[in-house]
């Protein structure tokens, strides 16, 4: 896992509805509804936390192993990248 | 914009939004007047003027097999539109639009794009959905192509079918109003009905072996609405405005999932649900 800072793509519109992030990718019109964990990760990205810092926070908040946190975080961020939601 | 034609403009009014169509070509004028007769008004104050010019040599994209291509881009403060045999631009700030079109091609694709943007500016949404008025109440059936909008419309002929493809929603105080538009999907023979009704509920279509109405969470409901907003989510500012409008609609009117099979029994499920 690289210790990088990621941001939402400037063409992403997002609102939090009932505690869950709904994202619209203006480039493609695609709509994504995140779950509570995904929403938390996006909040941390927006607050300029690095990927490694986010993994640490997930371990402490969700009581999972670092290996599991990094695996799931990598997978989630890869999906967002593929959707064009991250830069 | 100076109008370079001698005939009066054809004024089209959808959901209270008027577009003056400046069409000089007699054949196209006749076709437009016949097609949109129910929606033509006189002496309204237009929100936009669309000048249409017929060009016998108009071809903007080489024909190729596959899906019908419509390209929309934004530059220089204008929305640019291009398809095989028609191309034009929209200047929303000035309320002006221009379309160059080959003979025999209708202006509807461009009108849909124009109205999608004008609706948003008026605080409304053009939605990819079937609209039906039943017992004076408005029902909207949402879904992408192939989800069953036309089927629902065909199964509701005892009611007033506004459209099987596109409708307009406008927030009016604590309520939402449903408006018909003269744009059709596959149900081409349906009458073009210029009526409106208070919106009772929105139903996201899911094809299933049994009829069932199911609740949706707030985020799911908003996402279903967003996915049915055509043309205008091409810019992050507009995407935010559309999301806010979808939330406001959802706050006023329930959005549910309708699992249905192709028979009219789904209406009983809606009324009981």
């Amino acid at each position: 896992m690289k210790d990088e800072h990621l941001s939402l793509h400037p063409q992403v519109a997002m609102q939090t509805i009932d505690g869950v992030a709904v994202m619209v990718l203006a480039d493609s019109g695609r709509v994504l509804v995140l779950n509570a964990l995904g929403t938390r990760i996006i909040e941390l990205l927006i607050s300029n936390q690095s990927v490694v810092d986010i993994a640490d926070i997930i371990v402490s908040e969700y009581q999972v192993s670092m290996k599991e946190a990094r695996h799931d975080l990598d997978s989630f961020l890869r999906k967002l990248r593929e959707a064009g939601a991250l830069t | 914009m100076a109008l370079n034609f001698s005939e009066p403009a054809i004024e089209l009014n959808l959901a209270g939004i008027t577009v003056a169509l400046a069409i000089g070509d007699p054949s196209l004028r006749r076709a437009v007047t016949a097609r949109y007769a129910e929606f033509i008004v006189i002496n309204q104050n237009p929100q936009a003027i669309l000048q249409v010019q017929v060009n016998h040599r108009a071809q903007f994209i080489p024909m190729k097999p596959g899906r019908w291509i419509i390209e929309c881009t934004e530059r220089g403060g204008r929305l640019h539109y291009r398809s095989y045999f028609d191309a034009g631009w929209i200047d929303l700030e000035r309320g002006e639009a221009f379309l160059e079109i080959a003979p025999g091609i209708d202006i509807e694709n461009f009108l849909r794009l124009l109205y999608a943007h004008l609706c948003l500016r008026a605080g409304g949404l053009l939605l990819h959905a079937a609209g039906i008025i039943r017992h004076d109440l408005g029902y909207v059936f949402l879904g992408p192509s192939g989800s069953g909008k036309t089927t629902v419309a065909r199964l509701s002929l005892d009611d007033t079918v506004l459209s099987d493809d596109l409708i307009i929603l406008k927030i009016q105080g604590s309520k939402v109003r449903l408006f018909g538009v003269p744009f059709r999907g596959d149900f081409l023979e349906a009458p073009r009905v210029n009526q409106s009704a208070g919106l009772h509920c929105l139903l996201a279509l899911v094809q299933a072996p049994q009829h069932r109405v199911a609740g949706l969470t707030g985020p799911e409901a908003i996402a279903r609405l967003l996915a049915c907003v055509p043309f205008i989510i091409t810019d992050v500012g507009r995407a935010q405005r559309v999301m806010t409008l979808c939330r406001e609609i959802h706050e006023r009117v329930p959005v549910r999932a309708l699992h249905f099979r192709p028979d009219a029994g789904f209406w009983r499920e809606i009324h009981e649900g």
Side-chain angles (χ1 to χ4, degrees), chain B residues 40-111:
Chain B
I40 290 174
V41 294
I42 298 169
N43 290 333
Q44 300 278 319
N45 186 26
Q47 276 79 3
I49 297 169
L50 167 58
Q51 187 173 348
V52 184
Q53 189 172 298
V54 174
N55 179 348
H56 287 259
R57 286 184 293 187
Q59 182 163 6
F60 301 95
I61 303 174
M63 285 297 288
K64 52 184 164 188
R67 290 188 65 176
W68 192 262
I69 293 174
I70 292 176
E71 296 173 349
C72 297
T73 55
E74 295 187 47
R75 56 182 190 276
R78 286 179 171 176
L79 301 161
H80 291 264
Y81 161 97
R82 194 169 74 137
S83 189
Y84 295 105
F85 301 106
D86 50 342
W89 51 261
I90 300 168
D91 186 328
L92 290 166
E93 290 304 319
R94 297 170 66 98
E96 295 176 356
F98 175 79
L99 181 66
E100 186 177 353
I101 194 162
I105 299 297
D106 75 45
I107 64 173
E108 188 153 314
N109 284 337
F110 189 79
L111 271 183

Side-chain angles (χ1 to χ4, degrees), chain B residues 211-259:
Chain B
H211 300 305
R212 181 167 65 90
V213 175
L216 293 171
T217 66
E220 284 172 343
I222 305 296
R224 299 289 186 106
L225 281 169
L226 284 166
C228 292
V229 179
F231 308 125
I232 54 177
I233 303 182
T234 52
D235 159 272
V236 72
R238 276 199 300 275
Q240 286 287 8
R241 288 215 302 282
V242 171
M243 283 180 95
T244 300
L245 264 175
C246 289
R247 292 180 75 165
E248 290 172 354
I249 290 168
H250 177 246
E251 283 163 11
R252 287 162 173 79
V253 180
V255 183
R256 306 195 199 288
L258 172 63
H259 299 253

Side-chain angles (χ1 to χ4, degrees), chain B:
Chain B
M1 176 189 281
L3 304 179
N4 59 353
F5 69 109
S6 55
E7 298 283 350
I10 301 166
E11 293 179 36
L12 201 59
N13 184 288
L14 278 59
I17 301 167
T18 303
V19 172
L21 304 171
I23 303 172
D25 182 82
S27 172
L28 183 58
R29 279 186 69 85
R30 279 194 301 275
V32 166
T33 303
R35 185 167 195 165
Y36 302 121
E38 279 284 315
F39 293 82
I40 290 174
V41 294
I42 298 169
N43 290 333
Q44 300 278 319
N45 186 26
Q47 276 79 3
I49 297 169
L50 167 58
Q51 187 173 348
V52 184
Q53 189 172 298
V54 174
N55 179 348
H56 287 259
R57 286 184 293 187
Q59 182 163 6
F60 301 95
I61 303 174
M63 285 297 288
K64 52 184 164 188
R67 290 188 65 176
W68 192 262
I69 293 174
I70 292 176
E71 296 173 349
C72 297
T73 55
E74 295 187 47
R75 56 182 190 276
R78 286 179 171 176
L79 301 161
H80 291 264
Y81 161 97
R82 194 169 74 137
S83 189
Y84 295 105
F85 301 106
D86 50 342
W89 51 261
I90 300 168
D91 186 328
L92 290 166
E93 290 304 319
R94 297 170 66 98
E96 295 176 356
F98 175 79
L99 181 66
E100 186 177 353
I101 194 162
I105 299 297
D106 75 45
I107 64 173
E108 188 153 314
N109 284 337
F110 189 79
L111 271 183
R112 290 175 182 219
L113 175 70
L114 177 58
Y115 263 100
H117 284 277
L118 291 174
C119 280
L120 183 61
R121 287 174 80 85
L125 280 181
L126 181 74
L127 213 57
H128 195 201
I132 291 164
I133 299 175
R134 182 178 176 90
H135 308 314
D136 296 325
L137 296 174
Y139 294 82
V140 165
F141 297 85
L142 304 163
S145 298
S147 61
K149 296 187 298 298
T150 300
T151 302
V152 164
R154 286 185 192 281
L155 290 168
S156 306
L157 292 178
D158 290 341
D159 305 306
T160 303
V161 176
L162 297 177
S163 175
D164 66 328
D165 194 43
L166 288 164
I167 52 89
I168 291 173
L169 296 181
K170 284 175 93 175
I171 294 171
Q172 296 182 338
S174 62
K175 299 183 187 307
V176 181
R177 193 148 192 95
L178 162 66
F179 293 86
V181 301
F183 308 140
R184 288 283 170 277
D186 295 329
F187 193 9
L188 296 174
E189 66 274 29
R192 294 168 196 273
V193 181
N194 186 6
Q195 289 188 31
S196 71
L199 182 61
H200 186 61
C201 67
L202 296 118
L203 297 141
L205 293 172
V206 181
Q207 292 179 14
Q210 298 296 328
H211 300 305
R212 181 167 65 90
V213 175
L216 293 171
T217 66
E220 284 172 343
I222 305 296
R224 299 289 186 106
L225 281 169
L226 284 166
C228 292
V229 179
F231 308 125
I232 54 177
I233 303 182
T234 52
D235 159 272
V236 72
R238 276 199 300 275
Q240 286 287 8
R241 288 215 302 282
V242 171
M243 283 180 95
T244 300
L245 264 175
C246 289
R247 292 180 75 165
E248 290 172 354
I249 290 168
H250 177 246
E251 283 163 11
R252 287 162 173 79
V253 180
V255 183
R256 306 195 199 288
L258 172 63
H259 299 253
F260 83 109
R261 61 173 191 261
D263 69 58
F266 64 84
W267 278 113
R268 191 172 58 241
E269 203 65 29
I270 291 169
H271 294 313
E272 289 172 0

Side-chain angles (χ1 to χ4, degrees), chain A residues 10-18 20 22 24 26 29 31 33, chain B residues 218-220 222-223 226-227 233-236 239-240 243-244 247:
Chain A
Q11 282 296 298
V12 173
M14 190 182 88
Q15 293 189 14
T16 304
I17 299 163
D18 298 342
V20 168
V22 178
V24 180
V31 181
V33 180
Chain B
E220 284 172 343
I222 305 296
L226 284 166
I233 303 182
T234 52
D235 159 272
V236 72
Q240 286 287 8
M243 283 180 95
T244 300
R247 292 180 75 165

